[in-house]
Amino acid sequence: MKFYRDLFEASLNRVIPENDKKSFFQTFYDAFKHMTPETELHFSRQPDEEGPQMMYKTFFAMLAVDGVLFVPDFLERLAREQSHDGLRLPPRFFALWREAMLNTVHLRDPECDDEILTAWAMAIAPGLEYLRRQAELHYRAQEV
C-alpha cells in the first residue's frame, strides 16, 4: 500500500526547504504565466512580484481542502473576491495551474517520479477543484 500523503510531504520538504520557501513558487509562477498566450496576457496586467506571493499563500491554504469539505476563510475570500485582493483567474486556468505545478515539481524535486507526481496531483486536487468552481461562479473578466 502506498501512502501518497507521505510521498507528497517528503517531496514538499525537498522542493520548499525551510531556508528557501520562495524559489519554488517563483519557478511555478513563471511556468504558469507562460503556459499560453492567454495566461501571458492575464499575468502581464499585474506586478511581477505580486504573482509568486499570491501563489505561495494560495497553495498552502488550498492544501487544507483535503476532501473533508473544509475550506479556510482565507481561501474562500481569495477565490470569490474579484478585486485586487482576489485570485481572479478564469476557470479554464486551473488545468494549466495543475500542469505548471506538476512540471515544477518534476523540475525541482531530484527524487521525482510518477508516484510523487501522483501524490502531488492528489494533494492539490481538492483545493484546485474548489478554486475552479468558485471561478465558475464568481470570475469576471478584467477590463483592459
Side-chain angles (χ1 to χ4, degrees), residues 93-111:
F93 277 27
F94 292 96
L96 299 172
W97 176 317
R98 179 187 181 280
E99 184 179 346
M101 177 138 301
L102 296 180
N103 289 345
T104 303
V105 170
H106 187 261
L107 183 68
R108 302 289 302 230
D109 185 349
E111 296 180 31

Side-chain angles (χ1 to χ4, degrees), residues 11-27 56 60 108:
S11 177
L12 183 66
N13 288 329
R14 286 190 297 274
V15 300
I16 308 174
E18 279 299 318
N19 62 341
D20 183 14
K21 293 196 176 291
K22 304 275 185 208
S23 64
F24 175 84
F25 291 98
Q26 184 64 55
T27 303
Y56 178 85
F60 286 104
R108 302 289 302 230

Side-chain angles (χ1 to χ4, degrees), residues 7-144:
L7 288 175
F8 168 72
E9 288 177 1
S11 177
L12 183 66
N13 288 329
R14 286 190 297 274
V15 300
I16 308 174
E18 279 299 318
N19 62 341
D20 183 14
K21 293 196 176 291
K22 304 275 185 208
S23 64
F24 175 84
F25 291 98
Q26 184 64 55
T27 303
F28 161 67
Y29 178 74
D30 291 342
F32 187 22
K33 178 169 66 172
H34 296 296
M35 291 295 285
T36 67
E38 187 182 14
T39 56
E40 287 186 1
L41 177 62
H42 179 87
F43 288 115
S44 72
R45 297 179 182 144
Q46 55 186 245
D48 270 344
E49 66 278 356
E50 212 175 88
Q53 182 64 24
M54 179 69 78
M55 296 299 151
Y56 178 85
K57 292 189 294 190
T58 303
F59 175 77
F60 286 104
M62 71 182 228
L63 287 182
V65 183
D66 64 0
V68 294
L69 303 180
F70 165 79
V71 176
D73 291 342
F74 168 77
L75 190 63
E76 184 176 351
R77 283 191 307 277
L78 197 65
R80 294 179 180 182
E81 182 63 45
Q82 292 299 305
S83 73
H84 178 70
D85 296 328
L87 197 52
R88 300 176 320 223
L89 295 176
R92 64 191 168 281
F93 277 27
F94 292 96
L96 299 172
W97 176 317
R98 179 187 181 280
E99 184 179 346
M101 177 138 301
L102 296 180
N103 289 345
T104 303
V105 170
H106 187 261
L107 183 68
R108 302 289 302 230
D109 185 349
E111 296 180 31
C112 187
D113 62 12
D114 288 342
E115 294 298 326
I116 287 172
L117 291 176
T118 298
W120 273 80
M122 291 169 64
I124 66 175
L128 271 182
E129 178 56 23
Y130 174 77
L131 292 172
R132 187 199 62 76
R133 179 64 183 140
Q134 293 307 306
E136 283 181 347
L137 296 172
H138 302 284
Y139 177 74
R140 292 188 312 268
Q142 298 173 8
E143 301 297 319
V144 179

